[in-house]
Amino acid sequence: MSEVGATAPLGILGGTFDPVHKGHLQLAADACKKLELGQILWIPSANPPHRDQPGTPAAQRLAMVALAIRRQTQFVLDDCEVRRNEPSYTVVTLEDLRSRHGNQRPLVLLLGIDAFLGLHTWHRWRELFSLAHIAVATRPGFSLQADDMAPELHVEFEKRLDPAVKTLATQAAGSIVPFAITPVDVSASDVRHRLSKGEKVANLLPDAVLDYIAANHLYAQN
Ligand code: ATP
């Protein structure tokens, strides 16, 4: 086996996780299985530059992810973005992971399709492809259509599209690999909205996260 293939690809799932929900867990579970990943690093962002700042402190978002993934040995919480005292640029996180894991380890950045369609607005976005593969999960209400992509993103998509999962293990970075996930129709904003109105969200979040939210009076829980 080549040096690159000797270690299974490392998945990376970034997000605000405010709160972490079953859509994130389904994405990670399907990615692990279908993309044959060795592990997935869950990396909560501190100050995401592309969107509104999360209302919940990073320490509590980290705690909720830790509870959500505690029984899955392939899922690992990584607080590198929270420890850096600067905007949470993914390109910087991937550079950090490259320095920690070396140039040969395949890295696979996992994105929901909505996140992928905004990729061309990310800081130094073209450099992401020299640092990692990008695996794009389809999500309810979104599909991977050329018409939906900005022209510059479409150029990269055409150039890098590779439906072969084995590429993820044989090269360290550079491909775009779409993969289908079991749809779970939930978003963190919807969860926050429902909780603020006192509605039930029991089926959308892991029990341990529900308990944490209640105990810490998050999202206007009194
Ligand atoms: P918000 O509603 O606050 O924008 P979110 O639910 O989209 O939050 P994030 O933490 O922003 O969650 O998302 C992290 C990653 O998870 C992104 O790549 C996003 O596309 C993906 N994701 C979020 N919800 C789902 C879902 N239900 N199914 C699959 N992927 C999802």
mmCIF file of all heavy atoms in Angstrom, residues 3 18-19 23 31-32 35 52 58 64 74 80-81 97 99 107 114 118 129 133 164 166-168 194 196:
data_model
loop_
_atom_site.group_PDB
_atom_site.id
_atom_site.type_symbol
_atom_site.label_atom_id
_atom_site.label_comp_id
_atom_site.label_asym_id
_atom_site.label_seq_id
_atom_site.Cartn_x
_atom_site.Cartn_y
_atom_site.Cartn_z
ATOM 1 N N GLU A 3 2.109 5.161 0.712
ATOM 2 C CA GLU A 3 2.110 5.898 1.976
ATOM 3 C C GLU A 3 0.800 6.656 2.167
ATOM 4 O O GLU A 3 0.242 6.709 3.259
ATOM 5 C CB GLU A 3 3.297 6.869 1.973
ATOM 6 C CG GLU A 3 3.663 7.319 3.369
ATOM 7 C CD GLU A 3 4.734 8.376 3.363
ATOM 8 O OE1 GLU A 3 5.438 8.484 2.353
ATOM 9 O OE2 GLU A 3 4.851 9.072 4.372
ATOM 10 N N ASP A 18 -24.982 25.483 16.603
ATOM 11 C CA ASP A 18 -25.687 26.333 17.582
ATOM 12 C C ASP A 18 -27.190 26.091 17.496
ATOM 13 O O ASP A 18 -27.916 27.004 17.108
ATOM 14 C CB ASP A 18 -25.339 27.807 17.289
ATOM 15 C CG ASP A 18 -25.865 28.742 18.364
ATOM 16 O OD1 ASP A 18 -26.206 28.271 19.466
ATOM 17 O OD2 ASP A 18 -25.943 29.957 18.101
ATOM 18 N N PRO A 19 -27.671 24.889 17.914
ATOM 19 C CA PRO A 19 -26.936 23.758 18.476
ATOM 20 C C PRO A 19 -26.659 22.687 17.426
ATOM 21 O O PRO A 19 -27.221 22.709 16.332
ATOM 22 C CB PRO A 19 -27.942 23.205 19.505
ATOM 23 C CG PRO A 19 -29.278 23.400 18.838
ATOM 24 C CD PRO A 19 -29.148 24.693 18.051
ATOM 25 N N GLY A 23 -29.307 16.432 11.914
ATOM 26 C CA GLY A 23 -28.857 16.583 10.529
ATOM 27 C C GLY A 23 -27.343 16.496 10.443
ATOM 28 O O GLY A 23 -26.787 15.852 9.544
ATOM 29 N N ALA A 31 -21.214 10.127 5.806
ATOM 30 C CA ALA A 31 -19.895 10.427 5.235
ATOM 31 C C ALA A 31 -18.886 9.364 5.650
ATOM 32 O O ALA A 31 -18.105 8.867 4.834
ATOM 33 C CB ALA A 31 -19.434 11.814 5.682
ATOM 34 N N CYS A 32 -18.909 9.011 6.921
ATOM 35 C CA CYS A 32 -17.956 8.018 7.433
ATOM 36 C C CYS A 32 -18.070 6.721 6.640
ATOM 37 O O CYS A 32 -17.065 6.145 6.216
ATOM 38 C CB CYS A 32 -18.292 7.746 8.899
ATOM 39 S SG CYS A 32 -16.910 7.939 9.967
ATOM 40 N N LEU A 35 -17.826 7.370 2.416
ATOM 41 C CA LEU A 35 -16.537 7.899 1.945
ATOM 42 C C LEU A 35 -15.357 7.155 2.568
ATOM 43 O O LEU A 35 -14.210 7.499 2.317
ATOM 44 C CB LEU A 35 -16.437 9.406 2.248
ATOM 45 C CG LEU A 35 -17.591 10.275 1.721
ATOM 46 C CD1 LEU A 35 -17.421 11.719 2.155
ATOM 47 C CD2 LEU A 35 -17.701 10.183 0.198
ATOM 48 N N ASP A 52 -23.839 35.374 10.393
ATOM 49 C CA ASP A 52 -24.049 36.030 11.675
ATOM 50 C C ASP A 52 -23.288 35.280 12.770
ATOM 51 O O ASP A 52 -23.142 34.069 12.713
ATOM 52 C CB ASP A 52 -25.542 36.003 12.052
ATOM 53 C CG ASP A 52 -26.367 36.831 11.072
ATOM 54 O OD1 ASP A 52 -25.767 37.658 10.363
ATOM 55 O OD2 ASP A 52 -27.582 36.611 11.026
ATOM 56 N N ALA A 58 -18.913 29.882 22.592
ATOM 57 C CA ALA A 58 -18.205 28.737 21.997
ATOM 58 C C ALA A 58 -18.105 27.573 22.978
ATOM 59 O O ALA A 58 -18.255 26.413 22.596
ATOM 60 C CB ALA A 58 -16.818 29.180 21.540
ATOM 61 N N MET A 64 -21.933 20.927 23.704
ATOM 62 C CA MET A 64 -23.054 20.204 23.070
ATOM 63 C C MET A 64 -22.541 19.207 22.029
ATOM 64 O O MET A 64 -23.053 18.086 21.930
ATOM 65 C CB MET A 64 -24.044 21.203 22.454
ATOM 66 C CG MET A 64 -24.856 21.945 23.506
ATOM 67 S SD MET A 64 -26.209 22.926 22.811
ATOM 68 C CE MET A 64 -25.349 24.414 22.314
ATOM 69 N N GLN A 74 -15.389 7.129 16.132
ATOM 70 C CA GLN A 74 -14.804 7.726 14.916
ATOM 71 C C GLN A 74 -14.984 9.248 14.868
ATOM 72 O O GLN A 74 -14.441 9.901 13.994
ATOM 73 C CB GLN A 74 -15.428 7.108 13.672
ATOM 74 C CG GLN A 74 -14.884 5.717 13.351
ATOM 75 C CD GLN A 74 -15.571 5.139 12.137
ATOM 76 O OE1 GLN A 74 -16.782 4.936 12.138
ATOM 77 N NE2 GLN A 74 -14.822 4.895 11.086
ATOM 78 N N CYS A 80 -9.712 23.617 17.725
ATOM 79 C CA CYS A 80 -8.634 24.489 17.213
ATOM 80 C C CYS A 80 -9.139 25.880 16.806
ATOM 81 O O CYS A 80 -8.444 26.876 17.006
ATOM 82 C CB CYS A 80 -7.882 23.822 16.061
ATOM 83 S SG CYS A 80 -8.860 23.516 14.585
ATOM 84 N N GLU A 81 -10.353 25.962 16.244
ATOM 85 C CA GLU A 81 -10.840 27.291 15.807
ATOM 86 C C GLU A 81 -11.203 28.158 17.004
ATOM 87 O O GLU A 81 -11.035 29.381 16.972
ATOM 88 C CB GLU A 81 -12.028 27.130 14.855
ATOM 89 C CG GLU A 81 -11.625 26.534 13.517
ATOM 90 C CD GLU A 81 -12.664 26.682 12.423
ATOM 91 O OE1 GLU A 81 -13.781 27.174 12.681
ATOM 92 O OE2 GLU A 81 -12.350 26.282 11.282
ATOM 93 N N LEU A 97 -4.290 21.727 10.096
ATOM 94 C CA LEU A 97 -4.419 20.265 10.043
ATOM 95 C C LEU A 97 -3.310 19.647 9.198
ATOM 96 O O LEU A 97 -2.780 18.585 9.529
ATOM 97 C CB LEU A 97 -5.792 19.870 9.490
ATOM 98 C CG LEU A 97 -6.971 20.181 10.422
ATOM 99 C CD1 LEU A 97 -8.293 19.916 9.724
ATOM 100 C CD2 LEU A 97 -6.866 19.345 11.695
ATOM 101 N N SER A 99 -0.318 20.819 8.886
ATOM 102 C CA SER A 99 0.933 20.819 9.661
ATOM 103 C C SER A 99 0.891 19.729 10.732
ATOM 104 O O SER A 99 1.921 19.178 11.106
ATOM 105 C CB SER A 99 1.227 22.198 10.262
ATOM 106 O OG SER A 99 0.290 22.495 11.249
ATOM 107 N N LEU A 107 -7.212 14.594 3.407
ATOM 108 C CA LEU A 107 -8.160 15.370 4.219
ATOM 109 C C LEU A 107 -9.414 15.581 3.382
ATOM 110 O O LEU A 107 -9.316 15.904 2.193
ATOM 111 C CB LEU A 107 -7.564 16.724 4.604
ATOM 112 C CG LEU A 107 -6.272 16.714 5.430
ATOM 113 C CD1 LEU A 107 -5.827 18.159 5.728
ATOM 114 C CD2 LEU A 107 -6.442 15.941 6.732
ATOM 115 N N ASP A 114 -25.667 23.568 0.661
ATOM 116 C CA ASP A 114 -25.854 25.023 0.815
ATOM 117 C C ASP A 114 -24.516 25.694 1.107
ATOM 118 O O ASP A 114 -24.212 26.768 0.568
ATOM 119 C CB ASP A 114 -26.886 25.335 1.905
ATOM 120 C CG ASP A 114 -26.522 24.693 3.243
ATOM 121 O OD1 ASP A 114 -25.861 23.637 3.235
ATOM 122 O OD2 ASP A 114 -26.891 25.263 4.285
ATOM 123 N N GLY A 118 -21.852 28.378 -1.552
ATOM 124 C CA GLY A 118 -21.286 29.674 -1.173
ATOM 125 C C GLY A 118 -19.764 29.670 -1.098
ATOM 126 O O GLY A 118 -19.148 30.653 -0.698
ATOM 127 N N PHE A 129 -8.573 23.693 -2.231
ATOM 128 C CA PHE A 129 -8.417 22.463 -3.022
ATOM 129 C C PHE A 129 -6.999 21.906 -2.976
ATOM 130 O O PHE A 129 -6.788 20.736 -3.257
ATOM 131 C CB PHE A 129 -8.825 22.716 -4.481
ATOM 132 C CG PHE A 129 -10.269 23.093 -4.628
ATOM 133 C CD1 PHE A 129 -10.625 24.393 -4.953
ATOM 134 C CD2 PHE A 129 -11.268 22.162 -4.437
ATOM 135 C CE1 PHE A 129 -11.955 24.747 -5.093
ATOM 136 C CE2 PHE A 129 -12.605 22.498 -4.566
ATOM 137 C CZ PHE A 129 -12.946 23.809 -4.898
ATOM 138 N N HIS A 133 -9.682 17.482 -0.103
ATOM 139 C CA HIS A 133 -10.799 17.186 -0.995
ATOM 140 C C HIS A 133 -12.033 17.871 -0.403
ATOM 141 O O HIS A 133 -12.076 18.166 0.793
ATOM 142 C CB HIS A 133 -11.093 15.684 -1.030
ATOM 143 C CG HIS A 133 -9.959 14.839 -1.516
ATOM 144 N ND1 HIS A 133 -9.546 14.854 -2.830
ATOM 145 C CD2 HIS A 133 -9.174 13.936 -0.875
ATOM 146 C CE1 HIS A 133 -8.544 13.984 -2.968
ATOM 147 N NE2 HIS A 133 -8.289 13.426 -1.801
ATOM 148 N N ALA A 164 -15.556 9.055 -7.937
ATOM 149 C CA ALA A 164 -14.939 7.832 -7.399
ATOM 150 C C ALA A 164 -14.456 8.054 -5.964
ATOM 151 O O ALA A 164 -13.518 8.817 -5.712
ATOM 152 C CB ALA A 164 -13.772 7.408 -8.274
ATOM 153 N N LYS A 166 -12.768 6.164 -4.172
ATOM 154 C CA LYS A 166 -11.406 5.682 -3.915
ATOM 155 C C LYS A 166 -10.354 6.781 -4.105
ATOM 156 O O LYS A 166 -9.280 6.720 -3.513
ATOM 157 C CB LYS A 166 -11.080 4.452 -4.759
ATOM 158 C CG LYS A 166 -10.926 4.653 -6.240
ATOM 159 C CD LYS A 166 -10.421 3.341 -6.847
ATOM 160 C CE LYS A 166 -10.436 3.246 -8.338
ATOM 161 N NZ LYS A 166 -10.568 4.417 -9.178
ATOM 162 N N THR A 167 -10.669 7.791 -4.889
ATOM 163 C CA THR A 167 -9.733 8.917 -5.047
ATOM 164 C C THR A 167 -9.430 9.569 -3.699
ATOM 165 O O THR A 167 -8.321 10.071 -3.480
ATOM 166 C CB THR A 167 -10.330 9.986 -5.997
ATOM 167 O OG1 THR A 167 -10.716 9.355 -7.198
ATOM 168 C CG2 THR A 167 -9.343 11.098 -6.282
ATOM 169 N N LEU A 168 -10.403 9.544 -2.812
ATOM 170 C CA LEU A 168 -10.210 10.184 -1.509
ATOM 171 C C LEU A 168 -9.082 9.515 -0.726
ATOM 172 O O LEU A 168 -8.428 10.155 0.095
ATOM 173 C CB LEU A 168 -11.507 10.135 -0.688
ATOM 174 C CG LEU A 168 -12.707 10.871 -1.283
ATOM 175 C CD1 LEU A 168 -13.925 10.689 -0.390
ATOM 176 C CD2 LEU A 168 -12.405 12.361 -1.472
ATOM 177 N N ARG A 194 -37.826 27.404 17.097
ATOM 178 C CA ARG A 194 -38.855 26.614 17.797
ATOM 179 C C ARG A 194 -38.702 26.711 19.313
ATOM 180 O O ARG A 194 -39.684 26.852 20.034
ATOM 181 C CB ARG A 194 -38.757 25.150 17.390
ATOM 182 C CG ARG A 194 -39.284 24.879 16.007
ATOM 183 C CD ARG A 194 -39.071 23.415 15.719
ATOM 184 N NE ARG A 194 -39.294 23.109 14.335
ATOM 185 C CZ ARG A 194 -40.067 22.108 13.909
ATOM 186 N NH1 ARG A 194 -40.672 21.337 14.759
ATOM 187 N NH2 ARG A 194 -40.215 21.879 12.635
ATOM 188 N N SER A 196 -37.370 29.098 21.007
ATOM 189 C CA SER A 196 -37.707 30.446 21.487
ATOM 190 C C SER A 196 -39.216 30.624 21.629
ATOM 191 O O SER A 196 -39.675 31.459 22.388
ATOM 192 C CB SER A 196 -37.120 31.512 20.556
ATOM 193 O OG SER A 196 -37.853 31.531 19.350
#
